[in-house]
Amino acid sequence: MHICKAMMAAVSVAGALSASAARADGTVEVLHWWTSGGEAKAVGELKKAFEAEGGEWIDSPIAGGGGDAAMTALRARVVAGNPPTAVQLKGPGIQEWAEQGALNDVQSVADEGNWDAVLPPALAEIMKYQGKYVAAPVNIHRVDWMWANPEALKKAGVEEMPTTWDEFNAAADKLQAAGIVPLAHGGQPWQDATLFEDVVLGIGGADFFRKALVELDPEALTSDMMVKSFDQLRKLRGYVDPNFSGRDWNLATAMVMRGEAGFQIMGDWAKGEFLAAGKVPEQDFLCWPTPGKGFVLNSDSFTFFKVEGEDRIEGQKVLARLIMSPEFQKVFNLAKGSIPARTDVPLDDFDACAKRSHADLLAAIENDTLVPSMAHEMAVPRSVRGEFLDLVTAFFNSDMSSEDAVKQLAAAIKRAQEN
Ligand code: BGC
């Protein structure tokens, strides 16, 4: 049993089970960005469960890892007065839409299923607006992971997975010398920012991460630690192949699968890709936290926009109920690469990477080293995140010095906060 005292007070499986047995007869149009192999498989589980209850599912996938294209599409739909019924949304974005009065709450479903008792309190808070649930979480993803091809490492003479960035650099040098791309990467702003935040955690630690990337403390943003973080990001830039620009993240994962590349630094949705391709963890691929102590948290959730029609409102309730059912949380997360958001779903059928993620999550809560992902919209408003992404990408694609990067970053964040 993996239930953590720190994370929950009581369990009410029975309530959730009986709730999920209700019939649907509703309709949902679901806007999401899960279009890669592993992602499509995972969201397919939700569609299946919804249809099994008699509901009609209208799929609105918007391709583009990290969800930036989906968020643009969402804004256009809302401006046109035609929002989708359910939308994959997260972190402060949930609050931003709720503040605009765009969301329906699903508090009655949450009461019935006793969500407060089965969600980590920190996650429950993110799902609520003015004390009511306006979102239902499907998972807990970890961002600070690296994925490796054991054969490629062996060929290059890398015997151990790196636990410091210096060790990572040494392993990458060996891969490079062996003619293997050290780091599979897709040059898209959110992927660059994913590397950046993992590096910040590793170089500066969780307290520094929090000060710089969550609290936006000007001193932290301009500190030597931040300069060092950019220095390491510059090292990583030297380890990607010449064709990295614009590459989708799942194509980078495929490079590791094929042994063309040694490592990929990416959240555990990458594991969903390996699994969808029939690869076996600890055999065909390795999972290992990026150097650093902590856990960079990312959680996907669905929100329910204000729509007309009994049928659609009923659909929202059924979807919320299903998302939070223990059965769904298990099948979905087995496919997605993440772990359940509910704390009472046994992990017996999950692989070693998921178990490690769970153990490290509990340790991070205990040691206060759990930090929300900036790159994946868990930490700061979209406008501020946009500044991080622009600067980090500009740095990655130029010969900007780390000192200049730090100055420009601090100035951009200040501007965003003043607006
Ligand atoms: C989401 C994941 C998704 C990934 C790549 C992240 O921001 O949280 O669910 O798989 O982007 O698209």
Side-chain angles (χ1 to χ4, degrees), residues 33-36 39 64-67 88 90 138-139 141 190 249 266 268-270 298-301 332 336 338 373 375-378 385:
W33 66 88
W34 288 331
T35 54
S36 77
E39 291 175 333
Q88 183 189 353
K90 45 184 153 139
V138 288
N139 61 8
H141 265 310
W190 73 272
W249 66 272
M266 185 49 66
D268 40 18
W269 44 94
N298 174 25
S299 167
D300 292 303
S301 46
F332 176 86
K336 188 70 175 67
S338 35
S373 167
H376 294 276
E377 302 205 41
M378 299 295 292
R385 171 183 175 268

Side-chain angles (χ1 to χ4, degrees), residues 11-20 112 326 342 344:
V11 179
S12 173
V13 178
L17 282 175
S18 64
S20 70
E112 209 182 319
R342 287 182 72 112
D344 59 344

Side-chain angles (χ1 to χ4, degrees), residues 228-248:
K228 275 196 201 131
S229 302
F230 276 104
D231 287 347
Q232 177 58 33
L233 192 62
R234 179 62 72 220
K235 289 288 283 182
L236 294 184
R237 173 65 182 82
Y239 294 137
V240 307
D241 70 310
N243 300 322
F244 78 102
S245 193
R247 176 188 287 135
D248 285 329

Side-chain angles (χ1 to χ4, degrees), residues 92-356:
I94 298 172
Q95 307 299 319
E96 287 171 25
W97 283 108
E99 267 161 29
Q100 291 180 31
L103 304 184
N104 277 337
D105 73 74
V106 285
Q107 188 57 41
S108 60
V109 183
D111 284 339
E112 209 182 319
N114 208 3
W115 292 8
D116 273 345
V118 295
L119 286 176
L123 197 56
E125 270 322 293
I126 298 172
M127 303 297 131
K128 289 180 189 177
Y129 178 66
Q130 294 184 339
K132 289 188 176 160
Y133 280 95
V134 292
V138 288
N139 61 8
I140 292 177
H141 265 310
R142 179 179 196 178
V143 181
D144 50 321
W145 272 122
M146 56 193 172
W147 310 91
N149 181 306
E151 280 300 310
L153 296 194
K154 202 162 147 211
K155 259 193 226 155
V158 177
E159 277 159 18
E160 307 232 337
M161 288 297 268
T163 55
T164 65
W165 284 107
D166 284 345
E167 282 176 22
F168 180 89
N169 298 341
D173 288 340
K174 284 189 181 165
L175 284 158
Q176 212 152 38
I180 299 167
V181 176
L183 182 63
H185 182 63
Q188 296 173 345
W190 73 272
Q191 293 190 58
D192 300 338
T194 299
L195 293 188
F196 171 71
E197 72 178 358
D198 288 348
V199 166
V200 169
L201 177 71
I203 300 280
D207 285 344
F208 177 72
F209 182 110
R210 223 174 270 139
K211 272 202 194 104
L213 304 191
V214 185
E215 294 160 14
L216 310 173
D217 176 65
E219 241 171 71
L221 285 169
T222 51
S223 63
D224 284 353
M225 205 69 102
M226 196 49 102
V227 173
K228 275 196 201 131
S229 302
F230 276 104
D231 287 347
Q232 177 58 33
L233 192 62
R234 179 62 72 220
K235 289 288 283 182
L236 294 184
R237 173 65 182 82
Y239 294 137
V240 307
D241 70 310
N243 300 322
F244 78 102
S245 193
R247 176 188 287 135
D248 285 329
W249 66 272
N250 51 321
L251 300 183
T253 310
M255 289 169 68
V256 177
M257 280 185 213
R258 291 194 297 264
E260 265 167 54
F263 295 106
Q264 181 184 21
I265 292 174
M266 185 49 66
D268 40 18
W269 44 94
K271 193 185 76 187
E273 255 355 76
F274 283 107
L275 298 180
K279 304 289 179 195
V280 179
E282 296 188 306
Q283 188 181 308
D284 302 324
F285 68 96
L286 307 175
C287 56
W288 195 256
T290 52
K293 286 199 172 49
F295 188 109
V296 183
L297 175 75
N298 174 25
S299 167
D300 292 303
S301 46
F302 280 91
T303 47
F304 308 95
F305 274 66
K306 288 220 162 106
V307 286
E308 302 281 315
E310 269 309 298
D311 186 43
R312 297 164 89 198
I313 291 167
E314 179 58 17
Q316 292 183 326
K317 289 193 180 145
V318 174
L319 194 64
R321 209 177 280 139
L322 276 174
I323 284 173
M324 276 293 289
S325 74
E327 302 84 346
F328 169 73
Q329 295 248 329
K330 180 175 168 188
V331 288
F332 176 86
N333 285 298
L334 281 171
K336 188 70 175 67
S338 35
I339 56 174
R342 287 182 72 112
T343 54
D344 59 344
V345 178
L347 294 182
D348 306 338
D349 295 339
F350 283 73
D351 58 36
C353 309
K355 288 183 179 134
R356 167 117 205 216

Side-chain angles (χ1 to χ4, degrees), residues 67-92:
D68 291 300
M71 291 303 101
T72 305
L74 170 64
R75 269 192 299 282
R77 289 283 303 269
V78 175
V79 169
N82 176 31
T85 353
V87 178
Q88 183 189 353
L89 205 67
K90 45 184 153 139

Side-chain angles (χ1 to χ4, degrees), residues 339-405:
I339 56 174
R342 287 182 72 112
T343 54
D344 59 344
V345 178
L347 294 182
D348 306 338
D349 295 339
F350 283 73
D351 58 36
C353 309
K355 288 183 179 134
R356 167 117 205 216
S357 182
H358 180 254
D360 288 357
L361 173 66
L362 297 187
I365 292 171
E366 179 84 22
N367 303 330
D368 198 22
T369 54
L370 179 66
V371 292
S373 167
M374 177 278 293
H376 294 276
E377 302 205 41
M378 299 295 292
V380 288
R382 272 190 80 74
S383 53
V384 174
R385 171 183 175 268
E387 297 294 350
F388 273 112
L389 265 58
D390 285 354
L391 190 282
V392 167
T393 289
F395 175 84
F396 207 75
N397 290 291
S398 69
D399 57 5
M400 191 189 292
S401 72
S402 299
E403 286 77 12
D404 282 349

